[in-house]
Amino acid sequence: MLWPPVLLAAVLIVGWQLAAEYGVKNPQVLPSPSQVVSAGWGQRRAIAHNAWPTLRETELGFAFSFAVSWILATAMDFSPAARRAVYPLLVASQTVPIIAIAPLFVVMFGFGIGPKILLVALATFFPLAASLAAGFANADEDADRLMRSMGASRWRIFWTMRVPGALPFFFTGLRVAITYAIGGAIFAEYAGAESGLGIYLQQMQQVFRTDLVFATVAVIAIGSIVLFALTYLLERWLTPWRRHERTGREAAR
């Protein structure tokens, strides 16, 4: 149901409006929601102009992350030695703050789109790879042995049984990763870029346009929510059998 989060969001917005009007009373410290919407609409072209580079970086970085995570998870599934070697490095990669290594990436790869793609990938590939590896590890062993006894090759078992079985795990990781994607692009832009929402945020902070800072943050949040919602549509499309499973369980109650 959508109405509980919508109702809570409405209550928070009303509380924010009242606090800005009757509490803080300083738009440079806490602009009201109406002021944020008005300022954002007035600067919609500038925000849109800066949103496109950020979305491009997010798209390419997440695509790269998607490819790397599938390659690594597949390698770990096919080779226990690869799993023992790779998985600790995956965990270690998440111990380094992105904001700390972003300047290093800029020094090594320049101010182009390359370091942004790498930073988005670094921010998002661990949930994807880890969830896929967990999905492969939880494959039905009885079905695996049955297919082997029928002469199925390792690749055939992988594509027809292990991949479909891992998809529910993968989409769980995908929803976690997608919430990091735009944030990773913003951090990458903080380290060095010519345009983007990260640069626009910095510019508005420097001129004390708190209303436009809030408006830009709202755009980033809405973009992340849209991407999050799209994962459910993609899951419904790629795993239609799960709807039938849920329907069967509900009918059996």
Side-chain angles (χ1 to χ4, degrees), residues 31-74:
S32 67
S34 58
Q35 291 171 328
V36 170
V37 172
S38 177
W41 181 253
Q43 294 294 318
R44 60 188 182 279
R45 291 187 178 180
I47 294 175
H49 174 75
N50 286 279
W52 284 117
T54 302
L55 290 175
R56 182 66 172 168
E57 295 155 7
T58 301
E59 174 190 359
L60 295 176
F62 200 77
F64 182 63
S65 172
F66 181 89
V68 170
S69 63
W70 273 90
I71 292 171
L72 290 177
T74 301

Side-chain angles (χ1 to χ4, degrees), residues 172-197:
T172 299
L174 179 65
R175 281 188 273 274
V176 174
I178 205 71
T179 59
Y180 296 153
I182 297 181
I186 298 297
F187 278 127
E189 290 169 352
Y190 279 159
E194 295 180 358
S195 61
L197 291 177

Side-chain angles (χ1 to χ4, degrees), residues 19-30:
E21 288 185 1
Y22 302 105
V24 179
K25 296 183 180 180
N26 186 348
Q28 287 190 335
V29 176
L30 183 65

Side-chain angles (χ1 to χ4, degrees), residues 215-235:
T216 307
V217 170
V219 169
I220 295 170
I222 291 170
S224 298
I225 291 170
V226 169
L227 291 176
F228 184 85
L230 288 176
T231 63
Y232 284 96
L233 296 178
L234 184 62
E235 183 177 18

Side-chain angles (χ1 to χ4, degrees), residues 1-15:
M1 293 186 296
L2 290 177
W3 70 264
V6 171
L7 179 60
L8 178 59
V11 171
L12 292 176
I13 291 173
V14 170

Side-chain angles (χ1 to χ4, degrees), residues 13-235:
I13 291 173
V14 170
W16 175 9
Q17 181 76 30
L18 295 175
E21 288 185 1
Y22 302 105
V24 179
K25 296 183 180 180
N26 186 348
Q28 287 190 335
V29 176
L30 183 65
S32 67
S34 58
Q35 291 171 328
V36 170
V37 172
S38 177
W41 181 253
Q43 294 294 318
R44 60 188 182 279
R45 291 187 178 180
I47 294 175
H49 174 75
N50 286 279
W52 284 117
T54 302
L55 290 175
R56 182 66 172 168
E57 295 155 7
T58 301
E59 174 190 359
L60 295 176
F62 200 77
F64 182 63
S65 172
F66 181 89
V68 170
S69 63
W70 273 90
I71 292 171
L72 290 177
T74 301
M76 288 189 290
D77 185 57
F78 272 78
S79 171
R83 182 183 181 88
R84 289 192 296 271
V86 171
Y87 200 84
L89 296 180
L90 291 180
V91 176
S93 70
Q94 301 305 296
T95 62
V96 181
I98 292 178
I99 196 169
I101 63 172
L104 297 178
F105 275 47
V106 171
V107 171
M108 291 187 293
F109 302 108
F111 288 90
I113 196 172
K116 283 79 170 176
I117 292 173
L118 292 176
L119 286 167
V120 172
L122 185 61
T124 58
F125 87 99
F126 178 75
L128 296 177
S131 62
L132 270 175
F136 293 147
N138 282 273
D140 190 332
E141 295 298 330
D142 291 336
D144 189 288
R145 286 192 292 269
L146 176 61
M147 293 187 71
R148 288 180 184 275
S149 69
M150 298 174 66
S153 67
R154 183 70 175 89
W155 274 107
R156 185 172 183 82
I157 294 172
F158 179 76
W159 285 111
T160 59
M161 190 270 291
R162 298 181 78 83
V163 168
L167 285 180
F169 292 83
F170 169 71
F171 280 107
T172 299
L174 179 65
R175 281 188 273 274
V176 174
I178 205 71
T179 59
Y180 296 153
I182 297 181
I186 298 297
F187 278 127
E189 290 169 352
Y190 279 159
E194 295 180 358
S195 61
L197 291 177
I199 296 298
Y200 188 74
L201 274 172
Q202 287 182 324
Q203 292 172 344
M204 295 305 104
Q205 288 170 349
Q206 291 169 359
V207 297
F208 302 103
R209 288 299 306 271
T210 311
D211 50 355
L212 287 175
V213 171
F214 273 94
T216 307
V217 170
V219 169
I220 295 170
I222 291 170
S224 298
I225 291 170
V226 169
L227 291 176
F228 184 85
L230 288 176
T231 63
Y232 284 96
L233 296 178
L234 184 62
E235 183 177 18

